[in-house]
Every structure is written in structure tokens, then in C-alpha cells.
Amino acid sequence: MTEVLRLRPVVHAAPTADGVHVRGWTSSFTVKGGAGLWRLWEQLAAALAGGVPAPELAAPSGTPEPVARAIELIIGQLREHDMLVAVPQGWGEPGPDLPPIAVAAWLESSAADPAAAWHRLAGTVFTVCGAGAPAAAAERALAAAGMRYRRVPGPASTLTLEASDRLAVVAGCLGEVGYAVPPGSADTAAAQAAAVAHHLSGGSTEASANEASAGATPRLSNGPAAEPPEVLCALVAGAAVHRLLCAAAGLPDPSREGRETPTPHHAVLVARLDPLRMAYHPWPDAEPPREALSWEEAMAALDVLGDPELGLVPTPQAQDLPQLPVNLAACGEMVGYGTTLNAARLHAALSAVARPSDVAIGMDHLHARGLALRLATHRNRLEPVEAVELVEEAEWADDPAARRWWKALTLRLAVPASIEVVRLAAGVVHAQVSARGCVLGWAVEAEAGEAAAFALLAATAREQARRAGRSIAEGPPVCGATPAWQPSPQPLPWGYRDHAWPSGSREGEARFQQVLAALAGEHETPGAEATEIGATALRPAAPVADEAGVGGPWAISGLVAVRIPPARAARPLDLGRAQ
């Protein structure tokens, strides 16, 4: 069948003072050169509306050279911005083996190869499993798209749509809120729907996880008994059908429309009434986070953690908190701190996550283990010991970051603070800042300057928050294990160590954790996985709960839980034992 090139139906143009502006779904361009370009565009668009064979899409012979160059430029821009699409001759008209007119326009707007996409859809048999208004709305949507489908009985609480037993989408309505999970296998979609439904209905996320891991059918145990509004059912069911049709046709998921880069997490559609609206929200992947996330990945995980609909904690924001000399952010009642606002938002979110007192929560395994080992080392340091090496002031005060935060605390904020820096073992330094008989901050790091800098940063943040009428609760400290922003590879015009700190602090974190594990009396178990240090006390949490009982809603939110080693009996520390 002969193929022709057409303008995608989503492409529109408008005249400008000296040319034409053309816009598509995700991009646009402007051609300048005179008012005559608009008349040229009208003629070109009229020809492309009916379809032009690819070899004939050029300026006719005898066309004046300036006009030919303008045509060539416009066509080149249309190709570059993916505004032209190849379709069979007669596409969009009634005929055998051709899609309905509305479906043809949809595929012509979004598919790279509309004919191939329709061929996949035409060869698919869809299944609607459910009852009530959601199932009826899904049937109407499939029928309007010209799809073949069958109806099977199912629960009224959820709607399950399948495409030839290959893909499935699960949706549901709970009173005035509805959802639709991303396409996947039937088991994956059911597990995600169970967790999402329980979360939206105000249930326990941990219970949802256990229910999902057991392969249970999604249920709305906490949902209202009344029938959900029909308009919400129609919206959710139509959106679920749309997601499944896109997946079956090989098109991008609707959650990716308008995005230059795809979201790193799953996207769950959430719809609400009054006013009627829907949006896609991030949902964590089933796979646990990598050993060490990049800063960009940590920020994406923060979006999941603090999502207003599906997050575990409120969205962390600066609110009216002061931002100098330390950046502060609030997550509910918790206040976090950092050297940038995003770093403060990250710390605030982690501080707001509920946890048992013997568990450390991190963004990845490296972060969680680092927090657990530092907390254990700090608690052991609070016990009376006989052998510690006092670090001279000259050793830590020469560090630019430590000097910066010492001045911020004692000069800018005029706090009469003192700092104690001691070496607990070779390569392990403990720093603690005090004022007015209270501990303002502490840190455990490999270098004296680094430990002093983190302890002084925490102390400065605590004093700054106090003056703003807020408090930073005892929780996970910002430390060398925390994901940090990394500058671009190009040399910065200012001192890297002075202004980009704590960037680069994680580079030696894995080696430092080995020293801390030895100091805490924990040793790597032969044959243990690389993500485990000290298999007895530092085993990362499984997605729901491990045999040590470490688990909870944070695991489903993409975080890592690690048990803190218990405090040891007070005894002298051998300064040369951990090499």
C-alpha cells in the first residue's frame, strides 16, 4: 500500500510579524523571513493534509530560489521536530482493516508508525474484569476505540483490564478518589494496586505490602460502602483503558507525555472530585535502590517520598524558615538542614519518617549503613572510655568547611560554643559541639576536618532553627554517607572545597564503613551479599520485613532500613586496631 507523509493532527501554526510559528505536542519552532511565509505555510499544510508521497515532498521545479529554500527549511524543521508521519493512502477514512476515524487521528498524532500500532491493537483481545460503573465505562471506551473485548465477572471494588494475557492495568475508586496503576504483568499490577488502594484509603502501607507480596487481590478494606460517583468511575476507567491501549500498541505511557526525559519511577494515576481532576504521581519501583544513588536519583526518590498523594511524608518545603547561613526545610513538624535547599528537604523528609529507635533509614544501602554505624559509634563514644586521642585544633581548623561553619556559629550567630574532636581509632574521628551545657551537633568521619565540619554544620542549623522558633529533633545526621550534589566536571571559578562541600564526601565512604564495622565489633560474613556489612546487626531490610523484624512502610517507599548495632560495654578503645 502506498504511504504518504502527513502533518500530525496535533500540529498547529500561527502567523507572526515576519514569519510563522509552528507547535506540536512537545516542541515548536519559528521560521522568520517575511509575512509571505504564512501564505507559503498555508499551501504546504493544505498539501500535507491530504498526504504527499515522500519523494514528492520538495519544492516544485521552477520555484524561485528563495521560496525553495524556505520550503526546504520548513520541511526540515517538521522532520526534526517529529511533526510528519507516514501513513497508508486512505488512512483516516472508513474502510476494511482501517481503524475508526477518531482512533486513526489518535495514532496519527502519537505513534511513530500508526499502521503498525493499529495492527497490534487489532490483533489483541481485551478482557474486562469487574462490575458496576467502572466496568461499564471501560466497555464503552473499548467499544468506541473499535477493540475486541470480552467481559468476565469480577469484584465491584476494582477494575482489571488485560490485553491478550500479556499486559494488565488495575484501577479502582474509593469514594471521591480513584487510581490506575501502570501497565505490567497481572501479578505486578495487582500488587501495586493493593498498595496504592490501601494508601489512598488511609490504611497501613505496611499491611498493603504484606498483602501485595502474598499475591492477594487488591481490596479496599477501608473504603466507603457507598457507590463511587459515576463521573469518577468513567474518568478512571477511561484513563485505565488509555494506558492499556498505549501499552498494547507499543506507544509511550500517557504519564510520559510532555516530558523531555522519562520519570525514573512508575507513575500512578490519581483522580479526585470537586473539582474533577487527575494527575500522575510517582510510585517506587519494586526493585530495591542501588548500593549508591546519584544525587539526581536521590532527588527523584525524594519526589516519591514526599509526593502529596502517594508519599510517605508531607512534601518537604522551605516554608518561612531562614535560609542563611544554613538552608532549612520543614516536613510536617520536622525541620531538616543542609548546605542547599534540596539537601535540607532531603534531610527533613528522612527525619519525618517514623522508625524504631534501633533502625537507621537511608536513601540507599550506603547511606543507611553509614548512618547505622555512625549512630552506633556515637553511642559508644558517650560511654566513659580511657583511651582516646585528643585532636589538636590546628588539625581540624585548617579544613575550609570546618572553618566556615565555626565562623558561622561563633561569629555570625555569636554562640559561645566549644568543640571536642577525638580520634577513636586510626581513621575514625568523633567531633562534638556544645554550648550552654547542651550538645548542638556531633559527627563521626574519617578525617578530623570533615568530622568538625559536619558537627559544626549541625550545630549551626540547630541554633538557626531555635531562633526561628523551631527545633531540629534528634534524628539521622547529615554526614559523609548522605547523597550530595556534585558540581559539573568543569573547574569551578571558586574554591571547590569551600563552596561545593560536602560534594565528594562519599568517595571513600565504603572503605570508612569497613573501619567503623570493625570498631563496632561487626565483621563481614564470608559469602554474604555485597550489600551486607555485619550480617548479624546490619542486614538491610527486605521489601517488607526480614527475619530480624526490620521492615515497614519505608521499604515500600524506596528507602533502606538497617538495624543499628547495639551499644557495647564500656572498655578502652585500641587506637591501632582498625587499619
Side-chain angles (χ1 to χ4, degrees), residues 125-148:
V125 178
F126 296 88
T127 301
V128 178
C129 179
E139 285 189 274
R140 291 195 301 268
L142 288 170
M147 300 293 107
R148 293 185 297 155

Side-chain angles (χ1 to χ4, degrees), residues 45-96:
L48 287 171
V52 178
E56 299 178 13
L57 190 59
S61 59
T63 302
E65 184 178 351
V67 177
R69 287 202 306 269
I71 293 175
E72 182 180 354
L73 176 61
I74 293 174
I75 293 174
Q77 288 296 303
L78 291 173
R79 292 183 184 274
E80 182 176 342
H81 290 269
D82 193 28
M83 295 179 181
L84 295 177
V85 62
V87 295
Q89 186 76 45
W91 177 268
E93 300 174 2

Side-chain angles (χ1 to χ4, degrees), residues 181-233:
V181 302
S185 67
D187 291 342
T188 300
Q192 287 182 335
V196 170
H198 219 80
H199 181 95
L200 290 175
S201 62
S204 164
T205 312
E206 183 177 3
S208 300
N210 288 303
E211 190 174 295
S213 64
T217 302
R219 57 185 178 88
L220 310 182
S221 58
N222 292 342
E227 285 289 329
E230 187 171 353
V231 64
L232 183 66
C233 295

Side-chain angles (χ1 to χ4, degrees), residues 128-519:
V128 178
C129 179
E139 285 189 274
R140 291 195 301 268
L142 288 170
M147 300 293 107
R148 293 185 297 155
Y149 68 90
R150 62 191 181 95
R151 173 78 174 273
V152 298
S157 58
T158 55
L159 170 67
T160 301
L161 305 173
E162 294 188 8
S164 296
D165 300 326
R166 294 181 294 108
L167 295 167
V169 170
V170 178
C173 292
L174 307 107
E176 295 189 352
V177 60
Y179 66 91
V181 302
S185 67
D187 291 342
T188 300
Q192 287 182 335
V196 170
H198 219 80
H199 181 95
L200 290 175
S201 62
S204 164
T205 312
E206 183 177 3
S208 300
N210 288 303
E211 190 174 295
S213 64
T217 302
R219 57 185 178 88
L220 310 182
S221 58
N222 292 342
E227 285 289 329
E230 187 171 353
V231 64
L232 183 66
C233 295
L235 179 63
V236 170
V241 168
H242 184 206
R243 299 193 81 165
L244 188 59
L245 290 180
C246 287
L251 305 181
D253 189 74
S255 64
R256 296 173 54 186
E257 290 181 353
R259 296 179 181 267
E260 294 183 1
T261 56
T263 175
H265 295 284
H266 298 302
V268 173
L269 181 141
V270 178
R272 288 190 178 272
L273 284 175
D274 195 23
L276 185 63
R277 63 199 185 276
M278 70 177 189
Y280 289 96
H281 295 265
W283 186 257
D285 298 330
E287 294 296 324
R290 293 211 319 260
E291 177 69 11
L293 298 179
S294 67
W295 175 247
E296 292 74 18
E297 291 169 330
M299 287 296 98
L302 178 61
D303 291 339
V304 177
L305 183 61
D307 182 77
E309 286 284 5
L310 301 176
L312 185 62
V313 298
T315 304
Q317 298 174 337
Q319 297 181 357
D320 58 349
L321 292 168
Q323 298 300 309
L324 288 174
V326 184
N327 290 97
L328 300 179
C331 183
E333 296 299 320
M334 293 293 182
V335 176
Y337 65 92
T339 55
T340 65
L341 179 57
N342 277 337
R345 293 176 61 242
L346 179 64
H347 182 248
L350 289 175
S351 299
V353 174
R355 66 179 67 79
S357 60
D358 62 341
V359 169
I361 306 294
M363 300 299 291
D364 53 34
H365 290 109
L366 191 69
H367 187 200
R369 289 200 308 271
L371 289 173
L373 288 166
R374 283 171 170 83
L375 287 165
T377 304
H378 173 64
R379 292 174 182 177
N380 288 331
R381 171 68 186 99
L382 298 181
E383 299 292 335
V385 293
E386 299 176 2
V388 293
E389 176 188 344
L390 185 65
V391 177
E392 297 295 332
E393 179 179 344
E395 183 175 342
W396 64 261
D398 192 48
D399 184 272
R403 187 167 59 251
R404 171 191 176 187
W405 295 112
W406 173 255
K407 290 181 178 179
L409 179 64
T410 60
L411 297 181
R412 179 165 184 161
L413 300 182
V415 176
S418 63
I419 180 171
E420 178 193 60
V421 183
V422 297
R423 183 168 283 106
L424 303 180
V428 180
V429 178
H430 180 276
Q432 183 166 286
V433 180
S434 303
R436 309 183 191 96
C438 299
V439 175
L440 297 183
W442 63 269
V444 176
E445 300 294 337
E447 302 292 337
E450 195 86 347
F454 278 113
L456 288 164
L457 171 65
T460 305
R462 183 161 280 108
E463 176 65 18
Q464 182 177 322
R466 184 189 70 81
R467 297 186 182 189
R470 303 291 293 272
S471 62
I472 297 178
E474 288 295 333
V478 176
C479 62
T482 307
W485 169 79
Q486 299 292 330
S488 59
Q490 294 78 14
L492 299 175
W494 51 79
Y496 170 89
R497 190 71 177 84
D498 297 54
H499 294 274
W501 183 86
S503 174
S505 298
R506 290 187 114 198
E507 293 176 359
E509 179 63 21
R511 294 189 300 273
F512 180 56
Q513 289 184 14
Q514 293 178 356
V515 179
L516 287 181
L519 187 63

